[in-house]
Amino acid sequence: MAGAAVLPRSPQAGNTKLRVTTENTTYPSSSLSRRTLEDMQTQRNVVSHALQRRHTLEALLSPQVDLNAPTACDADPMLVRAAMHHGEPLDHDCPVCESPRLVLLRHVFGHQLGQYSGRIRTLDELEEMEHQFGEFRVYEVEVCPDCRWNHILVDYVLGDGRRRRPPRHQPTVEDLYG
């Protein structure tokens, strides 16, 4: 298999081998991610979580298992549900279970978003929002609904920089029915 490194599980394990794809141990070079980084005009304060992701994947494959440590495949059920219904497919497989259903979610957070903070947005919606709001943070998260792997790939700030008041609160179903 091209682009894959085969690593032994442990020195004591002998011929037991695990397959780890090298292209998934760094920030994925998907067309969706590249488009985000190139087309956003107001993007700033970009933080890549590629090293942390790589460290987490290497820890999953290490022979030492700490039963008290939180597991990396512990996605919240709401995150998995959002991934199944709103995720944008990535062009590579899950780095843990090799499932082809790995998706990308973009969460937006910010005071100026008001009640719309914490929602999932598409790339087209982000391009529209960057000129409507002064400042908000976007978190790009990869999620596998099969094994519940999830990790933040990158986060950045968008917006035109002008201060605005949050939009007026619109009644929602939760407001009406509790």
Side-chain angles (χ1 to χ4, degrees):
M1 177 177 201
V6 178
L7 303 173
R9 186 175 188 101
S10 69
Q12 299 85 8
N15 291 334
T16 307
K17 303 209 184 229
L18 289 176
R19 191 168 295 270
V20 179
T21 56
T22 55
E23 62 269 6
N24 290 340
T25 57
T26 59
Y27 182 73
S29 60
S30 71
S31 59
L32 294 172
S33 298
R34 243 184 280 121
R35 183 176 170 218
T36 300
L37 295 175
E38 291 174 359
D39 290 346
M40 295 296 170
Q41 298 170 359
T42 64
Q43 187 179 41
R44 56 198 178 277
N45 299 345
V46 179
V47 178
S48 173
H49 296 270
L51 291 176
Q52 184 179 18
R53 179 181 182 271
R54 182 177 183 166
H55 175 73
T56 303
L57 287 171
E58 288 174 357
L60 277 174
L61 299 174
S62 73
Q64 298 87 14
V65 177
D66 183 9
L67 297 176
N68 295 325
T71 160
C73 296
D74 62 350
D76 184 79
M78 294 298 284
L79 183 65
V80 173
R81 191 173 300 133
M84 290 190 306
H85 298 290
H86 303 290
E88 297 176 18
L90 291 172
D91 61 355
H92 61 276
D93 296 341
C94 174
V96 177
C97 70
E98 297 181 357
S99 168
R101 294 181 29 173
L102 188 68
V103 297
L104 180 72
L105 295 175
R106 292 181 184 91
H107 292 273
V108 295
F109 293 92
H111 176 68
Q112 294 184 16
L113 297 177
Q115 76 184 64
Y116 303 109
S117 179
R119 304 225 177 147
I120 297 169
R121 297 293 180 194
T122 64
L123 193 56
D124 294 332
E125 291 172 326
L126 288 177
E127 289 174 353
E128 199 174 292
M129 288 174 65
E130 73 178 327
H131 300 292
Q132 293 176 349
F133 297 98
E135 184 172 290
F136 60 95
R137 184 161 287 278
V138 179
Y139 292 90
E140 292 187 0
V141 181
E142 68 177 357
V143 180
C144 176
D146 294 336
C147 70
R148 296 178 58 165
W149 159 261
N150 66 97
H151 205 281
I152 297 175
L153 299 177
V154 66
D155 67 273
Y156 49 88
V157 174
L158 285 180
D160 58 13
R162 296 191 330 233
R163 288 199 174 265
R164 293 184 179 90
R165 296 180 76 175
R168 206 167 175 185
H169 183 79
Q170 301 292 323
T172 62
V173 174
E174 293 173 354
D175 295 332
L176 300 175
Y177 300 107

